[in-house]
Amino acid sequence: MTEPIHQAIRTAYEAVPYVGRPFHQTHPNRLLAVARLHGVPIPKLGTISVLEIGSGDGSNLLPMAAGAPHGRFVGVDLSARLTASARAMAEELRLNNVRLLEADVRDIPAKLGWFDVVIAHGFYSWVPPDVRDAMFGAISRHLAPGGVAYVAYNLLPGGWIRRIGWDAMQFHVRDVRDPAERVTRAREFISLMVESWRTQPGPGAALAENFAHEAERDDGGIFHDDLAPLNEPVYYSTFVAHAARHRLLAFADVDPSTRGLGPAGAALRERLAARDPVAREQMLDFVHLRQMRATLLVHANVGGAGRRDPRHVAELHFAASMPYMRHRLAGGAAADPVGDTLAAHFPASIPAARIVDALASRGVRADDAPARIVDAWVTGVADPYADALALSTRPSARPRAGAVARWQASRLPLVTNQRHVSVRLADDFARALLPLCDGTRTQAELLARVRAAVPAAEAADPKAAVERRLAQFASAALLDA
Ligand SMILES: C[S@@+](CC[C@H](N)C(=O)[O-])C[C@H]1O[C@@H](n2cnc3c(N)ncnc32)[C@H](O)[C@@H]1O
């Protein structure tokens, strides 16, 4: 019954490539910090083992592997095309701690063993029910007894909003067979729809906001998301019940919901207080019309996970989040002692103890500080990390960028930084310079190599042009410590 849809999914990924990207919240350094905040004992990052289900072209897994040479990384994906591209990247980067399997999650070999972390991003909502079930089966079998799994999925009720746009685009191209033509026509149509929705009140305005940037997506995004043969958001309570059938316990979301509850907040909180945690979260999804979740799970019989506990803050490191910094630079952020402290060290992380000291100098009692730091995470100001980020906030005498970013700079429009986020380099000059920053060259030697590529507008002072780009690399978290 599901085989034709399964075949359609396989064919789709061979027809139009899906260009992957790193998802910062899937990085073990990030998700294990959230697990620790919930009381889960966590393994050492240096020797971490990670399984990614639906690893695509390796854009998410390979930068993690490059950062942990003594770790073990396995990616599983059905697509021959995407697996081949991931293997080519791994080979060129000489990553010998990675295995990339072209396989169906329904047939993962048992001998793969256990992993500290299992990741499935952009998978659960895009596959038929038997594959969803096989995904949980694989997590249950391959997650080490104390391991943490991460599953991101499209969510109801917010997903109903996006469903309207997807249905409109799919209906519009229902008779078009050629994949490239489907993408072109769907892109054109959604931008017209958005223009029209924008002029309408109520639901039209909400749809316009939701799809405002849809037409700018790359072909793979439109083809495999908006036009996907299957894309099914689920209710949180349904997801949790499904996980429980595989003896997996959902205990947290890696990115907590940051929105407030508005003027009805106190009354809503009172109504929800007596509910069990799953019902409470489900009700909050109705309140917020949430569209996506990235849920962390552990083996139900192993346990260890409890409620969020600020006492664990002391073991972690924190950095200002990128969206917070954008907001702050645009002048939108209110004064906040945790935000101010982290912003002063951006993009690097600092240990919680240093934030506690900074708060003390502003009159915050040491007993209150951990809860203030947790709040900064919940409100999107701070990103927690299990370990310090190994990055430099200013260019060193011999600047060194990560190996993955150096490899990507001359091949792709975006590079992956040390916080596992995609960043766009400023210009061709930056793209010429970054690959040379391998820690062996002084700034003068770098200049000698790229002098011919200095933009005409900066020709009068080529040294300053190099310094400017190096400073941009540092603030974009591209330079190693
Ligand atoms: C929407 S893409 C997401 C890729 C990537 N994880 C991301 O979020 O960007 C879904 C991926 O799952 C893979 N896939 C689909 N069905 C699969 C199956 N039964 N077993 C393994 N991989 C599968 C596809 O080939 C594709 O690479």
Side-chain angles (χ1 to χ4, degrees):
M1 172 67 179
T2 54
E3 255 349 274
I5 180 69
H6 197 263
Q7 191 50 42
I9 291 170
R10 184 195 287 265
T11 312
Y13 286 99
E14 303 313 307
V16 175
Y18 180 86
V19 181
R21 62 186 176 91
F23 299 98
H24 71 103
Q25 71 279 20
T26 66
H27 197 289
N29 197 4
R30 283 278 283 109
L31 67 86
L32 290 175
V34 178
R36 190 69 203 115
L37 274 173
H38 290 78
V40 178
I42 56 174
K44 290 220 175 325
L45 283 167
T47 49
I48 198 90
S49 52
V50 178
L51 169 65
E52 184 172 25
I53 297 171
S55 47
D57 66 4
S59 299
N60 192 45
L61 189 69
L62 299 182
M64 293 177 193
H70 301 295
R72 181 169 70 97
F73 296 82
V74 176
V76 175
D77 200 284
L78 187 63
S79 162
R81 181 175 188 163
L82 296 178
T83 308
S85 127
R87 282 180 184 153
M89 179 176 171
E91 214 162 280
E92 286 178 38
L93 283 165
R94 296 199 177 86
L95 298 176
N96 51 21
N97 55 349
V98 185
R99 243 182 104 187
L100 296 153
L101 302 180
E102 180 195 325
D104 192 315
V105 73
R106 296 177 296 179
D107 309 320
I108 294 185
K111 62 175 190 293
L112 270 189
W114 282 338
F115 295 83
D116 299 316
V117 170
V118 180
I119 300 165
H121 184 97
F123 189 83
Y124 188 78
S125 297
W126 282 268
V127 290
D130 64 328
V131 180
R132 289 180 176 192
D133 205 55
M135 180 208 79
F136 272 136
I139 293 176
S140 191
R141 273 192 310 282
H142 293 288
L143 186 66
V148 179
Y150 162 108
V151 182
Y153 47 100
N154 284 338
L155 198 67
L156 292 175
W160 294 124
I161 300 169
R162 288 196 69 75
R163 180 86 272 156
I164 297 172
W166 295 334
D167 285 354
M169 293 163 90
Q170 293 192 13
F171 187 78
H172 183 64
V173 300
R174 68 194 180 286
D175 295 326
V176 182
R177 290 283 147 262
D178 178 57
E181 184 68 18
R182 281 171 70 78
V183 170
T184 307
R185 295 232 201 143
R187 176 180 280 127
E188 199 181 78
F189 187 64
I190 194 68
S191 55
L192 291 174
M193 298 271 294
V194 166
E195 270 180 51
S196 179
W197 281 330
R198 200 168 274 140
T199 63
Q200 302 171 33
L207 276 159
E209 194 190 325
N210 236 279
F211 285 89
H213 300 291
E214 214 63 18
E216 295 156 27
R217 295 184 76 175
D218 65 10
D219 289 0
I222 292 189
F223 193 70
H224 297 295
D225 190 14
D226 301 312
L227 300 180
L230 203 129
N231 186 351
E232 286 200 355
V234 292
Y235 280 110
Y236 176 68
S237 49
T238 310
F239 176 86
V240 171
H242 190 187
R245 292 201 289 283
H246 291 269
R247 294 173 300 285
L248 293 165
L249 173 77
F251 69 92
D253 256 60
V254 72
D255 275 323
S257 173
T258 57
R259 278 167 286 176
L261 294 172
L268 270 168
R269 248 179 248 113
E270 190 195 308
R271 301 290 192 292
L272 298 181
R275 298 293 192 90
D276 71 74
V278 175
R280 196 166 46 236
E281 285 294 304
Q282 179 57 77
M283 289 309 296
L284 286 173
D285 285 353
F286 283 114
V287 175
H288 294 314
L289 302 175
R290 200 163 170 177
Q291 296 187 337
M292 213 206 130
R293 271 186 184 266
T295 298
L296 299 180
L297 307 110
V298 287
H299 286 291
N301 58 350
V302 174
R307 291 177 73 92
R308 194 158 68 209
D309 185 343
R311 282 177 307 177
H312 298 299
V313 156
E315 300 157 53
L316 302 176
H317 301 252
F318 291 83
S321 78
M322 302 252 179
Y324 168 72
M325 286 305 288
R326 274 196 293 275
H327 191 50
R328 193 180 160 99
L329 290 172
D336 156 59
V338 178
D340 294 347
T341 307
L342 294 179
H345 295 90
F346 183 81
S349 62
I350 54 172
R354 284 186 59 190
I355 312 176
V356 175
D357 289 346
L359 291 180
S361 70
R362 295 210 191 185
V364 178
R365 288 180 35 228
D367 286 357
D368 296 334
R372 295 282 288 265
I373 298 171
V374 170
D375 274 354
W377 166 55
V378 172
T379 54
V381 170
D383 286 339
Y385 291 91
D387 213 344
L389 289 166
L391 58 85
S392 164
T393 51
R394 60 177 66 95
S396 60
R398 292 175 191 270
R400 193 181 65 208
V404 173
R406 280 189 273 125
W407 182 86
Q408 290 167 324
S410 52
R411 295 170 173 84
L412 302 165
L414 300 172
V415 300
T416 304
N417 74 9
Q418 299 298 78
R419 289 182 62 167
H420 206 55
V421 172
S422 273
V423 294
R424 191 174 294 279
L425 297 176
D427 54 10
D428 285 344
F429 184 49
R431 274 185 283 281
L433 182 63
L434 191 76
L436 299 170
C437 297
D438 61 1
T440 64
R441 298 180 178 91
T442 62
Q443 298 193 17
E445 285 164 345
L446 286 169
L447 173 60
R449 291 286 296 265
V450 291
R451 189 178 284 275
V454 173
E458 294 171 275
D461 193 350
K463 185 166 170 275
V466 168
E467 284 167 0
R468 208 170 291 126
R469 297 311 181 287
L470 291 174
Q472 286 167 358
F473 297 162
S475 60
L478 284 165
L479 298 182
D480 288 356

